[in-house]
Structures are given as C-alpha cells and as structure tokens.
Amino acid sequence: MGYLIGADIGSQSVKALLLDPDGREVAAAARPATMSHPASGWAEQDPAQWRDGLAATIRQLITASGIDPAEVTHLGLASQVDGVVPVDHDLKPLRPAIIWLDRRAADQAASLADKLGADAIFATTGLNADSSHIAPKVMWLREHEPQTYAAAVSFPPAGGYLLGWLTGTIAQDHANASSTLLYNVRSGGWDDAMLAAAGVDPGLLAPIRPAADVAGTLTGEAAVALGLDRRCAVVIGTGDEHGACLGAGAIVPGLVADVTGTAEPVAVTAPGPVFDDERVVETHAHAVTGLLLVENPGFVSGGCTLWWGGSVLGTDQATMFAQAARAAPGSDGVLFVPALSGATVPRWNDRMRGVFAGLSMNHGPGELARAVIEGCTFALRDVLVRMDALGLSGEEIRVVGGGARSELWLQIKADVTGRTVQPVLCAEPTAAGAAILAGLAAGTFADPADAVARTVRLAPRAYRPDPRTSEVYAERYAQYRALYDGAEGALA
C-alpha cells in the first residue's frame, strides 16, 4: 500500500493532506482562493483556481515529506457542494463556476415550487426548493445564457469538474447528487418528476457513483501539473461537509458534526430520510454508502467573521477574534443576524440580509466583533433546536474547520448550546475525509469504522458550558430570535 492524498476544494482555499501507508498524517498544505460577486447575491469562482490550488498544495506535500511522488497511489477530493461548472466537449469550463453562495436563481427555484409544490419537492428530494441548489442554477443558465447552455455537454459540480480534469471522467457521488434538487432521497437516483419540472436532461448531469469508487488514473496533463505519477488512482470523492463529517468520525447516529468554515453546515447521521416539517434541516446522502446526513447545509458563518475583520475593520481574523475576546459575553447588548447572503435558519429565506442592533455610543470594535461570533452561534442553536425536536442530536458537538482553532468561539458554542463541544485534532479534517475515501479504495482501511478509529483524534480539551454565561446567552438568544423575526418582516 502507498501514500494517500485528500484534498478539500473550498471557496476560500484549497487544502491537501498526506497520509502514510498506515493512515497517519504526514504533511498538510493550503492555498487561498477568491470569489467574485458580479452582482448582488451572485458568487462565482474561476475553476482554474481549484486546479492551480490543487497542484500547488500537492507539490507542497511532496516537497515537505520528501517522498517519491510515485509512492502516492490514491487521491480523493472533498469539494464544495451546490456549485455548477458548465463544460464543453473537451471538459473545459465555458464560464466561471456559479458556486453554493450564489442566490441569482430564486425565480427558477420558485418556478419549481409552483410546478410541483414545495411539500412534494421536499418529500421527494429531502430539500427545500431553494436557489442554493444546482437545478435552479442550471435553469438560470438556460434562460439567461442560452449560448453557454447550448454549448455545454455537462453541468457537473466543482468536484465532478475536477474529476474530469484529473482523469477524463466526469462523475459525482450520492452526496453531491443529493443536493441538486433532482435526486430522489428514498430511491437514491435521479427523480423523473423533478427532471421534467426543471427541464433537465439527465444526460447533462454527472453520473452518480459511490464516493470511494476509483474514477480512473491521472491524465498526462494532470500528472504533470500535480507532480504525481500517472498511475495514481483518483476516487469519485464527495462534498466538503460530507468529507468533514467523515473526518470528524460522524458516522454514527446522535453525534453532531459542526463544520465551521465559510459556511457552517451542521449535520447528524441517520439510517434513513428524515423530513422536518419546518424544513430547517434537509436530508442528504452521506459520503458513506448506505448512510444519510440530516443537515442544515450551511448558514454563512466564517464568511461573516471574514467580512467583518477584512472588509470592515481591515484586519485579519486573528485580530478580529482578539478584539472580540475583550468584550463581555452578550456583547453589551449588541446583536447580529448572520444573513449576509440569505438565511437557512431559523427559516430559509433568500432575501434575508444581515442586521446589527442594540448599538450605542459606548460600543467599539470588540463588542461588534463578539456580536458577529455570537450571532453565528445563535444560528447554530437554531439548527440544534430542530434536531432535538426530531430526536436526532446527542450531547456532543464535534467541531471541524477553521472555527475549531478558536478557543473563544468553541467556548461560546458550549455556553450558547449547553452541550459539550469537542474540537477534532487534525490539520485539515475535510481533506482527511477525502483521504479516508482514497484509503478505502486502496485497501488501507477495512471499512469506514476502521478508518475513523485509526485516523480521528480528538483535542485533549473539551469545552463545557459555564452556567452563568449560559444564562446570559439564553436571554440574548431570545432577543436574537425577536430581532430576526422583526427584520425578516421588514425585509419581506
């Protein structure tokens, strides 16, 4: 058996992790990525960033470890979900990718709901008829960019596009497919009624295969770019939050995975579909074949802290968090609603936007910075309230992603939710999930449980709620919900 590489293709960065033949972490690397916002509510990325980022990080791994590139036998990807990359006959992008954060296709999502009914769509797909998903984006392209649509031979997600560049084969796993709004979550395949309502030919969609299946070996172009041997096998891969759940060991019921990145998916494993009558959580396929993830696929969280620190204060996130730590719990009455790109909690609403409230002359950067963090954590509590009502969540939250490195944020999460918060001790947990899939294909791991037992390490400190601070947050959370309701009504 050889070395394994897992890569996390995100919207803020591309990260990669090298595991040795025994599944132990050897080296990690990262490269930043940027988004563009051509219009209000739009979000795009140049797929070349993903290719260049993947090549740069893999080359960094090889250099840092000093291994022979031919020793890397398998590569896996965990890529951002809900993006679409129209490609031509040569599998080259026809335009920038429309990514998960993009909300331009609200009218197309509403059209689907009008045709079939939002209840019927939810009962079939497990999803809300929301513009974040792929089907409305494909419909938007057909209506607004007909030349691009006509020239496209496929509309894969980010991971499916990269798989095509790496191997010449376009495909996607069940986790990615289950977020298209075209997938039947009960049958595990494309749904004829959804395809007909969207007017999408299934031949234009990346075929569905298990995440740990081998798609092929590297093309000559990809092998040269990555600095790897052409014999390196590439697995189908999965979505980023799905890879993160695997990297956190969330493959058993009750264990909540909190993936704190640009967005903050919150998920729990289930053996079958769960249909939330309030539609806060959706049912997606898991990276592990046969399991499902009941999740809120992500309110903007780290994206809010990045916005506040970088765009408003002109500081890095470390400085922003240091400022927040100097403010008292509750931010002296300042409240923030983290809906800069629409909302998925406590209700899904494309048109909702962010709000600050409770401001006075004595407030400074610290109170506002802490309010941003607290507002994101109140949104986490919104998700857990629904999971509790559905009998899904236990008492432990496993946190992965950039937010797992902030002691302040971890303690706020414990105090706001009243649960034990356990960070996962891994440089890149999402990439680790991708590497686990590669290891399953390589035979490094006997099964997912064996992989989790051998790779998932928990930080020595778990964060537990402070009863006095929890009382403050209980009051602030009630005020936050009242603010959300009022702001939503005003913006309707």
Side-chain angles (χ1 to χ4, degrees):
M1 284 181 256
Y3 284 78
L4 311 169
I5 291 178
D8 169 9
I9 313 299
S11 47
Q12 287 193 41
S13 62
V14 175
K15 303 171 183 176
L17 187 71
L18 179 69
L19 302 185
D20 71 14
D22 293 318
R24 294 178 299 226
E25 185 178 322
V26 176
R31 178 169 174 148
T34 59
M35 296 176 276
S36 63
H37 304 280
S40 176
W42 292 25
E44 299 182 348
Q45 282 190 298
D46 181 354
Q49 285 195 90
W50 306 332
R51 300 193 309 267
D52 294 346
L54 185 61
T57 52
I58 287 178
R59 285 181 174 274
Q60 283 179 252
L61 295 181
I62 300 302
T63 299
S65 63
I67 66 170
D68 184 335
E71 294 182 85
V72 178
T73 62
H74 289 74
L75 167 65
L77 305 178
S79 308
Q80 53 176 289
V81 180
D82 281 328
V84 61
V85 188
V87 297
D88 64 16
H89 288 279
D90 296 319
L91 306 187
K92 298 193 181 302
L94 291 164
R95 70 176 320 282
I98 302 176
I99 66 170
W100 62 274
L101 194 58
D102 194 283
R103 295 285 181 171
R104 76 184 68 185
D107 290 345
Q108 288 71 29
S111 172
L112 281 176
D114 288 343
K115 287 178 182 177
L116 295 176
D119 291 340
I121 290 173
F122 194 76
T124 299
T125 66
L127 307 180
N128 290 292
D130 186 79
S131 63
S132 61
H133 299 305
I134 284 179
K137 292 170 181 169
V138 174
M139 294 166 67
W140 185 94
L141 285 167
R142 184 176 63 227
E143 293 173 25
H144 294 274
E145 297 184 8
Q147 290 181 320
T148 298
Y149 185 87
V153 299
S154 186
F155 294 90
Y161 160 71
L162 278 173
L163 194 68
W165 176 68
L166 290 166
T167 68
T169 297
I170 284 182
Q172 63 184 318
D173 77 324
H174 287 270
N176 273 286
S178 70
S179 199
T180 58
L181 211 59
L182 299 169
Y183 179 93
N184 188 308
V185 75
R186 299 176 192 272
S187 68
W190 300 126
D191 185 81
D192 290 340
M194 292 304 307
L195 291 165
V200 174
D201 179 350
L204 293 174
L205 302 173
I208 305 170
R209 293 173 59 182
D213 271 11
V214 172
T217 55
L218 293 174
T219 64
E221 177 187 352
V224 170
L226 274 54
L228 296 178
D229 192 282
R230 284 196 65 174
R231 292 170 293 180
C232 179
V234 185
V235 299
I236 300 298
T238 192
D240 50 2
E241 70 256 38
H242 309 87
C245 288
L246 186 54
I251 62 172
V252 293
L255 182 58
V256 177
D258 175 19
V259 188
T260 314
T262 307
E264 188 168 345
V266 181
V268 66
T269 299
V274 175
F275 299 99
D276 175 12
D277 58 9
E278 293 190 12
R279 298 183 192 159
V280 172
V281 293
E282 302 181 319
T283 296
H284 294 214
H286 201 295
V288 177
T289 301
L291 295 180
L292 295 172
L293 276 182
V294 179
E295 63 173 315
N296 183 280
F299 52 93
V300 175
S301 174
C304 287
T305 63
L306 181 67
W307 163 78
W308 180 248
S311 299
V312 179
L313 298 182
T315 65
D316 58 25
Q317 294 213 59
T319 301
M320 179 257 187
F321 274 83
Q323 292 175 337
R326 292 194 285 270
S331 303
D332 193 27
V334 181
L335 292 167
F336 174 72
V337 174
L340 300 180
S341 296
T344 61
V345 283
R347 291 172 290 278
W348 288 58
N349 185 340
D350 277 354
R351 293 177 173 81
M352 186 64 182
R353 290 296 180 264
V355 176
F356 273 111
L359 298 173
S360 66
M361 297 289 285
N362 64 305
H363 292 141
E367 286 78 17
L368 273 69
R370 188 176 186 115
V372 169
I373 298 167
E374 290 173 348
C376 293
T377 312
F378 293 148
L380 166 63
R381 180 168 170 174
D382 282 337
V383 181
L384 295 175
V385 165
R386 288 309 303 151
M387 288 183 169
D388 288 346
L390 296 165
L392 294 170
S393 54
E395 292 304 312
E396 180 183 341
I397 303 172
R398 292 243 179 118
V399 182
V400 297
R405 294 189 284 273
S406 168
E407 292 187 1
L408 174 67
W409 204 347
L410 293 166
Q411 188 59 54
I412 290 174
K413 287 184 177 189
D415 293 338
V416 168
T417 66
R419 302 177 201 231
T420 298
V421 173
Q422 177 66 69
V424 175
L425 196 64
C426 178
E428 304 297 348
T430 302
I436 286 172
L437 294 173
L440 291 170
T444 306
F445 309 117
D447 53 37
D450 175 54
V452 165
R454 290 167 56 188
T455 63
V456 177
R457 294 177 297 133
L458 304 181
R461 178 186 173 188
Y463 295 76
R464 293 179 172 82
D466 179 326
R468 292 170 299 178
T469 309
S470 292
E471 287 182 13
V472 173
Y473 282 135
E475 179 181 353
R476 288 287 182 268
Y477 176 67
Q479 294 169 344
Y480 166 85
R481 286 299 302 264
L483 171 63
Y484 184 98
D485 292 346
E488 186 178 42
L491 294 169

